[in-house]
Amino acid sequence: KCIDVRKNHHKTKWLVPWGPNQCEKIKDFDEAVSRQIEANDIVFAVHIPLPPNEMSPWFQFMLFILQLDIAFKMHNVIQDNAEITLDVSLAYRDDMSSEWKEMAHAIETRKLKCAFHSPKTPESEGRYYDCDLLPFMEIGSVAHKFYLINIRLPVNERKKINLGIGEIKDIRLVGIHQNGGFTKVWFAMKTFLTPSILIIMIWYWRRIKMMTRAPVLLEKVIFALGISMTFINIPVEWFSIGFDWTWMLLFGDIRQGIFYAMLLSFWIIFCGEHMMDQNERNRLSGYWKQVGPIAVGSFCLFIFDMCERGVQLKNPFYSIWTTDVGTELAMAFIIVAGICLCLYFLFLCFMVFQVFRNISGKQSSLPAMSKARRLHYEGLIFRFKFLMLITLACAAMTVIFFIVSQVTEGHWKWGDLTIQANSAFFTGIYGMWNLYVFALMFLYAPSHKNYGEDQSNGDLGVNSGEELQLTTTITHVDGPTEVYKLARKEAQE
């Protein structure tokens, strides 16, 4: 708590809590009253980090939460719907001797949500209110070594600014940033996985181009999924170590959103293309009822993100959670998105069940086939069912990851709910996505192997050119897999 003894409170001079040029400080507000220091002359100065540490670009972002210590006084209680007005400034420097440079300045209001659990009597004076944490600031990069925050609580009786907010005893800031060690592991994973997915994607599309037929819808969607996975993999975060790119958090959200939308759309089309009772196949227009809501939901989440992190590019102190309307909208977005994801997962389970039922029904015709053909189809069906179960497991983990990540990010902003999501969960889900996309492109790439009659022995009865793997290339326009072809025949019957 620094004393600003200058007139007119010039913004050029910064008040520093420690060091060679430290400000004149007071221990508490009782001292301020005894020395007749006005509230407008007190500045809360916070140096980030505490000495002798320094910040690092490996921390990636900084999120700060405000905690107020407010004492109960009979003559100065917190009024209903009380708002606190903060005049905040942020500065930075890269060594201990250079001048502070202003990074941002804003006048922000925050709603006070405080409860007093003791009876409001003279005996309770001095006890503290139980106040909710307030969102304070978020920066998308940590490009400098030292940061300084100056907070004023201006009092203006005529404009009714900072009246009826109780007796503030102290302000505390909680700082959150990404662990530097985790950042290095994360970057290493992205650097390793990018070429892996890129190589398999090029190989996959080259195989499809070697075919005499045009690519079918399923093959196009798998390729699009590979592109979106590559987009999320590209380790552009390496540049954030050397450049002050505050938009990296927003860019990361957009990349993840595109991948989510592509993944959810792929699962619907993947199941739909293998459902035997669906005649409208191999056309994207046949899935507009399922893919349309995914696109609308993704767009809504993009707008929500732009309202929060988009505005923070200009004003890091802004938060959509500070107003009642903003909080309700933000909560509504997250709750609706969570409900939609759960409904989507149930719908996907229903589609997988239908595919399983139809494939199992078709298995009844297998005993009539020759031994080689029967073994061939049994192998295809087993591998296809295994892939469908992996798809369901992937979908369940993705839904859980989305909800947990939203709650983890939000719990600092809207309550005391605590969710522990450790780094292993984040890296595990990310690795699972890459492995799943890699497996899809590997298994669904058209085959180059032909097993002709010269390889058969007697009762094999394998037609010339029949291919023996999950992703056998069917030159027929129906599709890329024999399970797909099997399903198409059933639909036509």
Side-chain angles (χ1 to χ4, degrees):
K1 290 175 279 293
C2 293
I3 305 168
D4 187 359
V5 293
R6 298 158 295 146
K7 298 295 180 187
N8 301 322
H9 305 302
H10 287 294
K11 298 288 187 292
T12 52
K13 186 181 175 186
W14 296 87
L15 298 173
V16 189
W18 55 268
N21 298 316
Q22 60 183 279
C23 64
E24 185 185 347
K25 294 190 283 286
I26 55 171
K27 285 186 178 180
D28 51 42
F29 288 101
D30 292 335
E31 184 183 338
V33 172
S34 63
R35 292 173 58 182
Q36 295 183 330
I37 298 168
E38 294 183 5
N40 288 327
D41 292 330
I42 296 171
V43 178
F44 295 87
V46 183
H47 190 283
I48 305 164
L50 295 172
N53 304 311
E54 59 183 49
M55 301 301 281
S56 162
W58 291 103
F59 294 161
Q60 291 293 287
F61 68 90
M62 285 196 300
L63 173 67
F64 282 91
I65 311 298
L66 198 65
Q67 191 172 10
L68 297 172
D69 289 345
I70 304 177
F72 171 73
K73 286 292 172 72
M74 290 294 291
H75 66 277
N76 189 8
V77 296
I78 297 179
Q79 295 175 357
D80 294 336
N81 301 316
E83 285 189 350
I84 184 168
T85 302
L86 306 163
D87 183 345
V88 286
S89 301
L90 175 68
Y92 68 88
R93 68 180 180 186
D94 288 308
D95 58 72
M96 298 300 287
S97 58
S98 60
E99 290 292 317
W100 290 100
K101 296 176 185 174
E102 186 173 287
M103 190 171 169
H105 173 257
I107 295 174
E108 293 287 324
T109 58
R110 299 285 188 266
K111 279 192 173 293
L112 287 181
K113 295 179 181 175
C114 299
F116 193 66
H117 300 296
S118 302
K120 292 183 178 180
T121 58
E123 290 76 28
S124 299
E125 285 198 350
R127 292 184 181 178
Y128 286 153
Y129 284 90
D130 183 14
C131 294
D132 287 355
L133 299 171
L134 302 174
F136 180 67
M137 179 182 78
E138 187 169 22
I139 305 174
S141 69
V142 188
H144 306 287
K145 292 181 179 178
F146 307 105
Y147 292 86
L148 178 68
I149 299 172
N150 279 185
I151 307 170
R152 301 171 188 274
L153 302 179
V155 177
N156 189 318
E157 293 187 11
R158 186 171 56 84
K159 294 181 180 178
K160 295 186 177 178
I161 294 174
N162 283 338
L163 299 179
I165 58 171
E167 189 166 306
I168 294 176
K169 290 290 187 182
D170 211 342
I171 289 181
R172 278 182 259 186
L173 282 184
V174 180
I176 304 156
H177 58 75
Q178 193 162 291
N179 180 289
F182 170 76
T183 308
K184 291 173 184 176
V185 172
W186 190 250
F187 285 13
M189 275 187 75
K190 287 198 163 208
T191 307
F192 170 74
L193 290 169
T194 299
S196 309
I197 295 292
L198 199 59
I199 290 166
I200 192 83
M201 194 170 70
I202 294 167
W203 173 82
Y204 170 78
W205 195 245
R206 187 171 157 271
R207 277 287 179 86
I208 289 170
K209 284 296 182 185
M210 287 166 64
M211 305 308 301
T212 53
R213 59 173 174 80
V216 295
L217 177 64
L218 191 59
E219 290 170 337
K220 290 176 185 174
V221 173
I222 291 173
F223 185 66
L225 187 64
I227 292 172
S228 65
M229 190 76 252
T230 305
F231 184 50
I232 206 174
N233 277 346
I234 295 171
V236 291
E237 288 89 348
W238 281 112
F239 291 103
S240 68
I241 304 302
F243 298 96
D244 187 8
W245 286 355
T246 54
W247 46 266
M248 282 302 295
L249 281 178
L250 181 63
F251 181 64
D253 285 350
I254 292 170
R255 286 201 297 179
Q256 195 163 310
I258 291 170
F259 177 72
Y260 271 139
M262 196 62 242
L263 191 65
L264 297 178
S265 302
F266 163 73
W267 283 331
I268 291 290
I269 294 168
F270 178 68
C271 293
E273 289 294 285
H274 288 93
M275 280 172 65
M276 298 175 184
D277 54 354
Q278 185 166 318
N279 289 307
E280 282 290 317
R281 292 204 283 180
N282 205 23
R283 283 207 303 270
L284 190 61
S285 57
Y287 296 95
W288 70 270
K289 288 181 181 177
Q290 293 95 340
V291 176
I294 294 171
V296 171
S298 301
F299 181 72
C300 288
L301 285 171
F302 170 71
I303 296 298
F304 165 65
D305 216 39
M306 288 300 292
C307 291
E308 173 86 349
R309 285 191 167 145
V311 178
Q312 282 173 351
L313 296 179
K314 288 284 184 186
N315 177 15
F317 302 105
Y318 173 82
S319 175
I320 199 171
W321 303 86
T322 56
T323 62
D324 287 338
V325 175
T327 303
E328 286 170 10
L329 274 175
M331 284 295 291
F333 265 123
I334 291 173
I335 291 167
V336 169
I339 291 170
C340 289
L341 267 174
C342 293
L343 291 174
Y344 167 89
F345 181 65
L346 292 173
F347 178 66
L348 189 68
C349 289
F350 172 69
M351 287 185 77
V352 171
F353 169 74
Q354 279 192 310
V355 173
F356 272 31
R357 188 188 61 188
N358 292 335
I359 293 283
S360 298
K362 194 65 180 175
Q363 279 182 291
S364 60
S365 61
L366 292 182
M369 295 182 181
S370 61
K371 184 181 178 184
R373 184 179 286 269
R374 187 178 72 249
L375 290 173
H376 171 46
Y377 277 118
E378 281 176 351
L380 284 173
I381 289 168
F382 171 77
R383 281 178 283 177
F384 177 73
K385 284 185 173 181
F386 179 74
L387 189 63
M388 293 296 270
L389 289 172
I390 292 294
T391 296
L392 270 188
C394 239
M397 291 299 289
T398 301
V399 169
I400 293 166
F401 173 71
F402 175 80
I403 293 171
V404 167
S405 62
Q406 290 298 317
V407 171
T408 305
E409 188 177 311
H411 90 268
W412 284 106
K413 300 171 184 174
W414 43 264
D416 55 358
L417 178 65
T418 302
I419 295 285
Q420 294 292 336
N422 59 20
S423 54
F425 185 56
F426 281 83
T427 50
I429 293 291
Y430 176 64
M432 179 193 75
W433 286 337
N434 276 276
L435 199 61
Y436 180 74
V437 173
F438 187 95
L440 276 173
M441 287 192 284
F442 184 74
L443 292 170
Y444 269 78
S447 172
H448 65 288
K449 296 172 186 171
N450 290 327
Y451 293 82
E453 287 178 324
D454 57 325
Q455 289 175 292
S456 63
N457 54 0
D459 83 327
L460 279 179
V462 181
N463 294 332
S464 177
E466 188 172 278
E467 299 151 349
L468 300 175
Q469 67 180 64
L470 172 66
T471 59
T472 51
T473 302
I474 304 302
T475 52
H476 194 280
V477 294
D478 281 339
T481 70
E482 291 211 25
V483 174
Y484 186 106
K485 186 182 180 185
L486 200 69
R488 184 64 177 169
K489 284 178 182 173
E490 182 79 4
Q492 286 171 340
E493 287 167 15

